[in-house]
Amino acid sequence: MSSHTITTTSAPTAAPAVPSTGRLRPLGIDAVRITGGFWGRRQSVNAAATLPHIGERLESEGWLPNFDLAASGALPHGRRGREFSDSEIYKYLEALAWEIGRTGDASHEERFRAVVARVSAAQEPDGYLNTHFGREGQGARWSDLEWGHELYCLGHLFQAAVARERTRPGADDLLAIARSAADLVCAVFGEDGIQSVCGHPEIEVGLAELSRVTGEPRYARQARLFVDRRGTGSLADIEWGRSYYQDDVPVREAEVLRGHAVRANYLAAGAVDVAVDTGDGPLLDALRTQWANTVARRTYITGGQGSHHQDEAFGEDWELPSDRAYSETCASIGSIMFAWRLMLADGGAQYADLIERTLYNVVATSPAADGRSFYYANTLHQRVPGIPADPDGTSLRASSSLRAPWFEVSCCPTNVARTFASLTAYVATTDDQGLQLHQYAAAEIDTTLPDGQRVALTVETNYPDDGVVRVIAGRSSRAPWSLTLRVPSWAEGAVLRAPGEDDRVVAPGTVTVRRAFEEGDVVELDLPMQPRFTHPDPRIDAVRGCVVVERGPEVFALESVDSAAAALGEDVSDLRIDASVPPHETGGRVYVRAVRSNTGSHAWPYGGVDVGTPSAPQEVPLVAYHDWAGRGPSTMRVWIPAS
């Protein structure tokens, strides 16, 4: 990647994060279009099924009608949903905004405008906007910063307004609604105002992006104030400690993410925004350290984060139990936000590697194939077959053992929806030297480089079904420019083919082809996709002696519904892999050799237990983790003991 800093001078592109400066410039949904394949199918289901499903549930649960009650003066009577339910309407609006920008769908546009009108009618004259606080019979404004989520909700409002302004500038009143609320926040929480923060970070990201899209420096200053106040003990202590909401240590002094995993990642993403826009090198260095340590010690093989159920939090270093993995879907989306911002700042391929891992193995795992039910938490070991959720019911936050259509805390469906709708913005970037591809999908790219050259590319690939990525130049260039491709960290032995060059093996990281491209020139990256065993760090006690099977970016799981696995027993927990026989692929399925230990039952499970004679080995198929439980209730495990 280019080693020098670039500064954005043109109008903001249609992307969720558009920093004022950095190594790389994001290309948004106005310059990149995913045309098919794995992510194209996810985007299509999201548009056709998930967004309508969310809209229906926001109505039937009463969360959107709360705004109608606020506008009519009826609140608090009849209000439904948790204190943070307003945020789901804003994430829904953000998802709609990106989808409208992506496709121009008229039905989504009509829906968007109707929802904005209802939100607008509920806003107070001074800009305050919340259906849970501020009226007779409700708590006073800003009276419960630990748990009230008022600022959190507004952060999501600001992100929705930014998405709308970057895709349909001036189309409606959403930006004005957001600015009015942001002006109030700056007045109430400014340098001479309330010296505290929100118990759930999110306002920081929203204010930073709102400042970028409007050019209003007060919003950026307020974001910095919130980041600098974090960790000073301004929030009340709780049973899990102030680390739960990252109020135990100042951001620039922390060495690793801790506490509630969604809160931690949202705060880190907002802090990167602040550091980049203010040129705060020490703050950015601290965040780089936190990211590296969190990935090295507190992240699951899937990219998931958070190993505690009770507080939805990170555990200590190496505390990564499979059967108790919380790995909340929203935490992974926050992780993507954090990593993406660091990548734009630094250009490092390691950030895109983690984004890819997390997208394929957590974000893609949450929604069912039909886009109408979701995982809130993402276990790596299911010991008993799950119980199908009531298709018309509302599940507790993470109690559903199979994907559920809705939750009492339904942050994950809306977060998945906005991520898929904006996914194109994570594919490519530019710098002064050329263009970089970070995520591989069938796509079309059309943009102008900083030197004024128009670049058109077509990406042809069936990735991750196979590892061939073909990039075809759609326009001849008048001068050389650099096309940079990410070589994933697992892709030892990848081969690059470029015009006028001999085939060459390229190392993980990045590889660059610089030339004056002619229309029709093809650069091909061939990534090795053989299934492979991956071994855990021995300090992860919970999976010591186990292996996981990966193929390309996908993690695989052993699931009891497969016939060969079922023949060895309903519960896959007693299966062992013969690690001396490499995993192999046949007919599009990945197989391992497995046996069952015939241990029988014992009155005391310790000391001298006879493990018995193992069953005859069988070739057992695995399933991509993101597809598990798609064929009905099952037991499942990702980390499998090796015999």
Side-chain angles (χ1 to χ4, degrees), residues 579-602:
S580 68
V581 180
H584 62 93
E585 187 173 2
T586 302
R589 295 294 303 272
V590 173
Y591 290 82
V592 293
R593 182 169 295 178
V595 300
R596 175 174 295 281
S597 297
N598 298 316
T599 56
S601 53
H602 304 275

Side-chain angles (χ1 to χ4, degrees), residues 28 138 354 363 426:
Q138 295 182 324
L354 183 70
V363 181
Y426 297 93

